Amino acid sequence: MYAVIKTGGKQYRVVAGEKLKIEQIPAEVGAEITLDQILMLGEGEAVKIGAPLLVGAAVKATVLAHGRHDKIRIFKMRRRKHYQKHQGHRQNYTEIRIDAITASNAA
C-alpha cells in the first residue's frame, strides 16, 4: 500500500518502512507523528483519490532527526555594471520513517 501525502507545501509518495526528508516540523526526535493530509491511497489496482483530501486516512511516522540540507549558492550579476551579489541558503529538514498507512472504512 502507498499513499500520497501533503506536508510543508510539497507532495510525497510514501510506502511503509520508507525514510524521507520533509520540511521541518516542530516535533522531538523519537516522537510519533500523524500526517493526516492524504491526497491519494493506492493498493495494487485499487486507488482512492480525495477531493481534495481523503477523510479518515492517516499516515503514522516517527521523527528520526533534524538537520540542514547542503548549501545552495545564489549569485546575481549585472554585466558591465560592476554589480555582483553572493548569497547562500541552507534549508532545515526533518527526517522521518513511515511506520504505517491506515485507510478509512467510510469510503
Side-chain angles (χ1 to χ4, degrees):
M1 174 180 266
Y2 67 91
V4 175
I5 63 170
K6 178 180 164 189
T7 179
K10 297 181 174 78
Q11 297 176 8
Y12 302 92
R13 182 186 185 273
V14 297
V15 181
E18 180 180 40
K19 293 180 186 178
L20 71 145
K21 295 178 181 177
I22 62 173
E23 295 294 321
Q24 187 177 29
I25 54 174
E28 296 293 323
V29 174
E32 175 111 0
I33 59 171
T34 302
L35 303 169
D36 57 354
Q37 290 192 339
I38 312 300
L39 302 172
M40 187 176 91
L41 284 175
E43 188 169 15
E45 293 295 319
V47 176
K48 292 182 189 175
I49 298 175
L53 301 174
L54 285 172
V55 179
V59 172
K60 303 274 188 202
T62 303
V63 176
L64 300 178
H66 296 288
R68 299 182 76 173
H69 285 289
D70 293 334
K71 182 176 275 193
I72 296 172
R73 303 214 179 262
I74 300 148
F75 178 69
K76 295 182 181 182
M77 186 180 87
R78 301 281 186 259
R79 63 185 189 159
R80 300 185 307 271
K81 305 298 181 197
H82 200 67
Y83 170 79
Q84 291 183 352
K85 182 179 179 183
H86 299 273
Q87 190 175 359
H89 177 74
R90 290 184 71 187
Q91 185 71 27
N92 295 327
Y93 69 82
T94 299
E95 186 174 4
I96 62 172
R97 180 183 62 237
I98 306 299
D99 295 328
I101 299 172
T102 57
S104 64
N105 295 333

